[in-house]
Amino acid sequence: MADGAYYLAGYAVECALKACIAKGTKRYEFPDKERAVSSYSHKLQELVKVAGLELALAGLVRTSPEFRTNWEAVKSWTEQSRYQRHQRQEAEQLLTATDVME
């Protein structure tokens, strides 16, 4: 159960970042090829860049110790997490981090 919770919490962050990318795409726009290809990534740090959220993220990490702690937990998530075992404590930490980061 902890394995699934851990994976899905990270996947929710991935989906949220992709929603930010989609929101930044105008209807009928012919998107930049590199941006479009990069959007298919599962790497959270790369998706932050594509979404144009690097400066905002850096600012929050620098000014909010709580956010920094939560981002540290979140950014370690990978798509490969679904094939790995995770302890309940890891899942709870990631769930807490994603809840605070809404």
Side-chain angles (χ1 to χ4, degrees), residues 54-66:
E54 286 178 293
L55 290 177
L57 176 65
L60 284 168
V61 166
R62 187 176 57 256
T63 60
S64 172
E66 181 182 19

Side-chain angles (χ1 to χ4, degrees), residues 44-75:
L44 301 182
Q45 302 242 57
E46 186 173 327
L47 292 171
V48 166
K49 290 177 188 175
V50 177
L53 297 172
E54 286 178 293
L55 290 177
L57 176 65
L60 284 168
V61 166
R62 187 176 57 256
T63 60
S64 172
E66 181 182 19
F67 187 91
R68 181 176 38 257
T69 299
N70 291 330
W71 178 243
E72 288 297 322
V74 170
K75 75 177 186 178

Side-chain angles (χ1 to χ4, degrees), residues 5-19 44 77 95 98:
Y6 182 90
Y7 174 71
L8 290 174
Y11 189 59
V13 174
E14 178 183 335
C15 289
L17 288 168
K18 288 183 176 182
L44 301 182
W77 178 89
L95 286 166
T98 57

